[in-house]
Amino acid sequence: MEHAELLAIEKRHLWHPFTPMSDWCEDSHQPLLLAEGSGCILRDSEGREYLDGNASIWTNVHGHAHPVINAAIAAQLQRVAHTSFLGFTHAPAIELADALVGLLPGSALSRVFYSDNGSTAIECAARMAMQYWPQNGRPERDTLLSFDRGYHGDTLGAASLGGLPVFKGAGNSFGYRVVCVPTMEALNSLPAETMARIAAVVIEPLVQGAAGIRTWPRGMLKQLETWCRMHDIFLILDEVMTGFGRTGRMFACEHEGVVPDFIALAKGLSGGYLPLAATLTTERVFQGFLGEGQAFYYGHSFTANQLGCAAALASLRVFRDEKVLEQLPGKIGTLARLLDALRDHPHVMDIRQCGLVAGIEICQSRLPLVEYGPALRMGHQVCLTARKHGLLTRPVVNTLVLMPPLCVTEEELVRMVNAVRLTLDEITAV
Ligand code: PMP
């Protein structure tokens, strides 16, 4: 189909996530039709090139069209694309589980349950925790604890854990019974009757992504782990965004030597190539499901999809063979220096960075501080303008997110931050 015909059908029949479709469908809006990619570069249908500034919604790890991952998917495709994991098993899932268990600190998370996206990875952990306690003598433990501004996905169960009202939509009371707290300190003053009912705590370790790249105070994760151990409450780490190198280590929990009871992995698990997720948990939790007639009543058709597992195994090989983690400190340092030089910009209110994850919060003016009202959708406008400067990314309200694939070069980082500066300068000029 021709470009114009595709766009006409797009506007007639498509509906996009988190997108005000009235703006999208306006005649003046030309949707960007992405056609191909290699490394950190994406090309549109007319051959224009852009830097993939948010790793294709925080998924891509080693760049697009990586030959090792492409070849692994193609080779698996020759064997079989998908078979059921209900009642059967297969080599890619087994080999990947073995590799994942070995990657995680202390190999304490020794049981792997597959699903297909970040929301389901979190739901698995939540439902395992909620099923575990009644099965193991603690029926009163029927509540999950999460943090204000946390985000754990959009299916009803995952969204019920979130602390950002925008993701809950009209119905705020669906899903699990959840208590939301703002800080670690607030945990210590929970009433005894609430404490008695908590089955698990869920957190995005080190940094809350969808809240606008908000970093937790250093040491907070360790304190939370200690608190969970003291009260024998499960700790669920949502490493859907932070996993697979984003924070500078393979997993964010490694920065504070924390070993959770559950870890949810998705996005970068398959290198960002295919929808695949895994929830890892301990032998203790697994044992809690071995009673007569017991099972974990949960599963999806595409659980442990072979192509996804093959891509994930290839991605782990790339981590090893290309020494990806070893190269991160240099890139993270470069990004920090480049962002530092942006701090004085009159439209920059704050810059937050955790590894190769950065949030640049913009404002109308810094001195005196005047923030952009959400109705202006300024973050969105800025990201549209950034395209002219060869950068693709997506904001969280007024925070521009830079989260490139880990394969980003220092020169590409310079171009990314430069594109942000040029775009911000343009607002000043208006
Ligand atoms: N948890 C976190 C921390 C996330 O950032 C996201 C997605 N942005 C999710 C869960 C949900 O993942 P998915 O979109 O694959 O369902």
Side-chain angles (χ1 to χ4, degrees), residues 45-379:
S45 51
E46 292 171 289
R48 280 184 295 252
E49 293 200 341
Y50 307 87
L51 288 157
D52 188 355
N54 76 344
S56 296
I57 204 71
W58 316 353
T59 58
N60 192 284
V61 179
H62 306 298
H64 298 278
H66 192 290
V68 173
I69 304 179
N70 281 9
I73 296 171
Q76 180 58 45
L77 196 52
Q78 296 307 310
R79 290 182 212 111
V80 67
H82 180 70
T83 59
S84 171
F85 213 59
L86 279 82
F88 309 100
T89 191
H90 54 74
I94 297 169
E95 287 170 24
L96 179 60
D98 190 42
L100 290 174
V101 169
L103 272 185
L104 277 149
S107 300
L109 298 162
S110 51
R111 289 285 163 179
V112 181
F113 191 95
Y114 289 110
S115 59
D116 24 335
N117 59 67
S119 309
T120 55
I122 279 292
E123 290 216 9
C124 285
R127 289 176 65 151
M128 280 176 185
M130 295 294 261
Q131 199 181 321
Y132 175 91
W133 290 116
Q135 269 173 198
N136 291 277
R138 303 290 299 267
E140 73 285 5
R141 290 196 157 181
D142 63 353
T143 301
L144 294 165
L145 193 133
S146 65
F147 286 90
D148 286 356
R149 302 205 276 204
Y151 174 78
H152 303 286
D154 292 321
T155 57
L156 287 187
S160 69
L161 298 171
L164 286 162
V166 65
F167 294 107
K168 297 205 180 197
N172 236 344
S173 56
F174 46 67
Y176 312 104
R177 195 174 178 277
V178 177
V179 172
C180 218
V181 293
T183 56
M184 187 59 226
E185 289 70 44
L187 281 187
N188 293 321
S189 36
L190 285 174
E193 55 280 21
T194 306
M195 286 295 299
R197 293 178 69 171
I198 298 172
V201 179
V202 58
I203 187 169
E204 295 162 85
L206 298 199
V207 52
Q208 293 183 314
I213 315 299
R214 294 192 181 273
T215 47
W216 287 112
R218 198 183 293 254
M220 180 272 196
L221 192 62
K222 192 72 193 169
Q223 286 170 21
L224 182 61
E225 182 198 40
T226 308
W227 186 90
C228 286
R229 298 290 159 251
M230 200 158 74
H231 300 287
D232 192 25
I233 287 171
F234 289 141
L235 175 60
I236 302 173
L237 294 189
D238 179 347
E239 293 238 20
V240 169
M241 183 275 275
T242 52
F244 301 99
R246 295 268 174 236
T247 67
R249 308 284 287 265
M250 193 55 125
F251 300 106
C253 58
E254 293 173 37
H255 289 273
E256 300 198 6
V258 166
V259 181
D261 300 283
F262 298 88
I263 192 165
L265 305 172
K267 291 188 187 273
L269 170 59
S270 65
Y273 279 55
L274 288 158
L276 181 75
T279 306
L280 275 74
T281 189
T282 60
E283 241 9 71
R284 175 191 178 192
V285 170
F286 181 73
Q287 293 288 330
F289 284 75
L290 296 184
E292 182 73 27
Q294 281 175 356
F296 177 45
Y297 293 105
Y298 191 87
H300 293 276
S301 314
F302 284 103
T303 293
N305 168 262
Q306 274 101 329
L307 295 177
C309 291
L313 280 164
S315 169
L316 295 182
R317 279 201 301 281
V318 175
F319 264 108
R320 188 194 58 207
D321 296 347
E322 296 186 8
K323 301 199 178 348
V324 172
L325 293 177
E326 290 85 329
Q327 295 175 52
L328 290 181
K331 297 180 189 190
I332 292 166
T334 299
L335 181 60
R337 276 193 300 283
L338 293 167
L339 291 174
D340 249 356
L342 207 60
R343 279 184 201 275
D344 287 340
H345 195 285
H347 284 302
V348 171
M349 182 172 138
D350 191 19
I351 296 183
R352 301 176 285 271
Q353 186 188 354
C354 177
L356 271 186
V357 176
I360 303 159
E361 190 165 3
I362 57 169
C363 57
Q364 193 168 328
S365 100
R366 200 151 48 94
L367 291 171
L369 179 63
V370 183
E371 295 188 42
Y372 289 119
L376 285 175
R377 298 188 71 215
M378 206 53 196

Side-chain angles (χ1 to χ4, degrees), residues 3 7 10 16 24 29-35 42-46 48 50 383-384 387 391-393:
H3 182 85
L7 288 193
E10 153 69 44
H16 288 260
W24 178 273
H29 174 62
Q30 280 281 312
L32 185 62
L33 216 154
L34 292 173
L42 291 169
R43 271 172 227 98
D44 70 14
S45 51
E46 292 171 289
R48 280 184 295 252
Y50 307 87
C383 288
L384 285 182
R387 290 182 191 179
L391 174 68
L392 294 188
T393 187

